Amino acid sequence: VSGAPRLVGDIGEDALLGRIVGRLPPPPEGEVWAGDDAAVLRAVGGDLLFTTDALVEGVDFSWSWCSGGDVGWKAMAVNASDIAAMAGRPRHALATLALPATTPVAVVDAVVDGLVEAADAAGIALVGGDISGARELSLGVALLGSSGPHGVVTRSGNRVGDAICVTGHVGGAAGGLSVLRSGLVPADDVLSGGPAEPAPNPALRRLVARQLRPRARTAEGPLLAALGATSMIDVSDGLLLDLVRLMTAAGHGCRVEPGLVPIDPDLSELSGALVAGGDLVALAVGGGEDFELLFTIDASRVDAARSGLAAHAQVTQIGVVTADGLRFGDEDIERMEGLGWEHLRRR
Amino acid sequence: VSGAPRLVGDIGEDALLGRIVGRLPPPPEGEVWAGDDAAVLRAVGGDLLFTTDALVEGVDFSWSWCSGGDVGWKAMAVNASDIAAMAGRPRHALATLALPATTPVAVVDAVVDGLVEAADAAGIALVGGDISGARELSLGVALLGSSGPHGVVTRSGNRVGDAICVTGHVGGAAGGLSVLRSGLVPADDVLSGGPAEPAPNPALRRLVARQLRPRARTAEGPLLAALGATSMIDVSDGLLLDLVRLMTAAGHGCRVEPGLVPIDPDLSELSGALVAGGDLVALAVGGGEDFELLFTIDASRVDAARSGLAAHAQVTQIGVVTADGLRFGDEDIERMEGLGWEHLRRR
């Protein structure tokens, strides 16, 4: 027995599948999860919500700064966030894992554990999936949810005069990415408080967690539907880019005040080191991956939204819906450069 | 304006998404398809069926022998086949496309058209998806279906003494792959009857179509539930490998007669050229991707199944379910080499 790690190519597809299924919870009576041609799920009331999103090695993450567990967690969380942004409840997920035969089995175990951990945190059951060979690892999740008692909140329902609000803070995930890419702090050390001495700065650790272990606003989404949100999107590709999507879905414009954007306090604290003379606001509104909810609501109901969400997240009004023009302070958003994440950049 | 093809990296993600959405049909009143955080679908009766499967460049296909349209078609068809194998009706699909920025836009158009074409053929609506950058192209589909009036047929319901039957013929897709890999006939020429002179042999053309444009048995699956099938799987990874999965799901064995396996007549016709002294039966039972339905049924109901499916496909009994042992003629199936498709082979 050598000390070399076992690789997925050594154990083969069916053994790997068996191993993965063994890490999943068992289905309730009357349902079939992994192990057949398709999962069988009892229908629940309401409309169905259906979304999918994938993470690709070298594009969405790098093994130099994250673990298999982080990749699994995030792939599940970003999909849960999409269902939350419809004001729905996420329920059942399938995972598609494409990976090189040279991947250590332990990495696959960690990916699956990360998927299940994030699924548990969001009330989701991982009910199956698919494995395929590939040159680089990618992890896709397809997620099924159901609408809540107050229905879905789409992107297109905003009205001129509505307040534009955002939950929590933005910029933290982008700050965490800067920390990780700097290579100064290995990801494992940061999150575990591992071998680094002295223990990493807590603000730095929180930023890294925002990047690696984002939390979907699964409680807040349905609450905001009950509170009267007229349109909603999650901040995945950058506050301004997602704002433009929200406004153009309704054919409207906006006026947003840069000074009102709730910048992550940890990012502000570390701005000297992370932004290095650059623009903190630009990082916060362009960075993406905060998975906060950006929503519109009648201006008279902002206080109600604020108190209704008080136990979960702060709510900040950053602007107002207008008939046309996309304004961020003095700037025209559509003329700003490097607005947000572009998945198809040439490499 | 140069003659170079436009690449997806030139037009960017949002423009590419807009282009794709423009190729999809519009949703019915009350549903939201592409363009929001998740698709919103009206629930239908019955249990939900949920499956996913992906095709990866270099593993599942090669651009040297197939087109974007072929990849799109097949990614949809293989998922439809999984729902058919549960005796369900496929309904709504999401596609996940990961691709290099250097991919020509025309290839993406063709992939989407292939997806939609296969979706139409199977009664499926493609309701959205996700795009990501990657080093190689991969196309995943997540498919949602519903159970029919006779419920689902899982893998595990077979009983000792049941007849083991298969629809249609096997081996054609493997034969088609041999034709394509031989490089003697470019795929486009074969399917279009293109520039090759004289026109390619019709048997050869049909084999290539079996590989590139498989048809899911979406009508036959629900019919077989009505006719009393006790367990079912689709032949995706090879008849014998899928047979083993069907038997072991129930803790049973089987006795299958090699001489009864319905080998694709086109494969038989061309066996001299394609198998070249090799074993035709081995190719037919090991090759996979035929997407026929392999099912079990009470021995007294084989004739009913045969006549019930007569308008769609032939039904052939190839063996019987036993208490234990997996026999293929004189051989123990578990000791046979190269049983079927393994996605995690080292490259």
Side-chain angles (χ1 to χ4, degrees), chain B residues 6-339:
Chain B
R6 270 203 307 169
L7 308 180
V8 299
D10 300 332
I11 72 172
E13 184 180 356
D14 276 9
L16 190 66
L17 273 173
R19 190 179 176 94
I20 291 173
V21 170
R23 301 178 95 83
L24 305 183
E29 182 69 28
E31 297 200 348
V32 177
W33 288 3
D36 216 303
D37 295 296
V40 182
L41 311 170
R42 293 267 174 259
V44 293
D47 286 341
L48 294 172
L49 300 173
F50 194 18
T51 192
T52 186
D53 207 348
L55 301 183
V56 180
E57 178 183 348
V59 176
D60 298 292
F61 67 89
S62 161
W63 290 126
S64 67
W65 51 257
C66 76
S67 70
D70 297 330
V71 173
W73 173 285
K74 192 164 174 177
M76 186 63 69
V78 303
N79 280 281
S81 180
D82 278 327
I83 299 292
M86 300 297 287
R89 180 181 154 185
R91 291 184 177 275
H92 296 101
L94 297 175
T96 302
L97 181 61
L99 77 182
T102 52
T103 308
V105 173
V107 169
V108 178
D109 290 348
V111 167
V112 174
D113 289 349
L115 280 165
V116 171
E117 216 181 316
D120 286 348
I124 298 165
L126 177 60
V127 300
D130 176 50
I131 296 181
S132 187
R135 234 177 278 170
E136 58 202 348
L137 189 140
S138 70
L139 178 62
V141 168
L143 182 57
L144 203 51
S146 57
S147 62
H150 298 274
V152 299
V153 179
T154 65
R155 294 183 184 176
S156 61
N158 56 76
R159 303 157 308 180
V160 175
D162 279 354
I164 301 173
C165 302
V166 64
T167 59
H169 298 93
V170 295
L177 187 59
S178 294
V179 172
L180 291 167
R181 283 195 172 147
S182 73
L184 293 174
V185 188
D188 286 349
D189 290 357
V190 174
L191 289 186
S192 66
E197 277 295 350
N201 179 315
L204 197 145
R205 198 169 62 233
R206 284 192 298 265
L207 288 181
V208 169
R210 293 281 319 228
Q211 169 60 225
L212 297 181
R213 300 273 172 155
R215 289 195 168 260
R217 295 278 189 194
T218 48
E220 294 83 347
L223 261 177
L224 285 168
L227 291 162
T230 54
S231 70
M232 188 152 58
I233 190 172
D234 64 324
V235 180
S236 56
D237 290 342
L239 181 71
L240 288 189
L241 184 57
D242 290 319
L243 173 69
V244 169
R245 289 174 178 153
L246 194 64
M247 296 300 109
T248 55
H252 291 148
C254 63
R255 200 173 60 240
V256 167
E257 288 306 320
L260 296 178
V261 172
I263 297 178
D264 194 297
D266 295 320
L267 180 64
S268 302
E269 182 184 330
L270 294 170
S271 65
L274 291 176
V275 185
D279 185 342
L280 192 62
V281 175
L283 184 65
V285 300
E289 300 195 288
D290 294 305
F291 302 104
E292 296 294 352
L293 295 175
L294 178 67
F295 64 96
T296 57
I297 194 165
D298 192 274
S300 70
R301 298 193 55 80
V302 173
D303 284 342
R306 202 171 275 133
S307 50
L309 254 66
H312 301 278
Q314 72 169 44
V315 167
T316 307
Q317 181 175 356
I318 59 171
V320 64
V321 179
T322 61
D324 47 42
L326 295 158
R327 311 292 306 174
F328 185 63
D330 294 335
E331 296 195 80
D332 178 344
I333 298 177
E334 290 177 292
R335 296 188 182 184
M336 293 171 70
E337 300 243 324
L339 250 194

Side-chain angles (χ1 to χ4, degrees), chain A residues 10 13-14 36-37 39 41-42 47-48 50-51 101 130 134-136 155 245 342-344 346-347, chain B residues 10 13-14 36-37 39 41-42 47-48 50-51 54 101 134-136 155 245 342-344 346-347:
Chain A
D10 300 332
E13 185 180 355
D14 276 9
D36 217 303
D37 295 296
L41 311 169
R42 293 265 174 260
D47 285 342
L48 294 172
F50 193 19
T51 192
D130 176 49
R135 234 179 279 170
E136 58 201 349
R155 295 182 183 176
R245 289 175 177 152
E342 166 60 64
H343 291 88
L344 297 173
R346 302 266 196 117
R347 290 196 280 184
Chain B
D10 300 332
E13 184 180 356
D14 276 9
D36 216 303
D37 295 296
L41 311 170
R42 293 267 174 259
D47 286 341
L48 294 172
F50 194 18
T51 192
R135 234 177 278 170
E136 58 202 348
R155 294 183 184 176
R245 289 174 178 153
E342 167 59 65
H343 291 88
L344 297 174
R346 302 265 196 118
R347 292 196 279 182

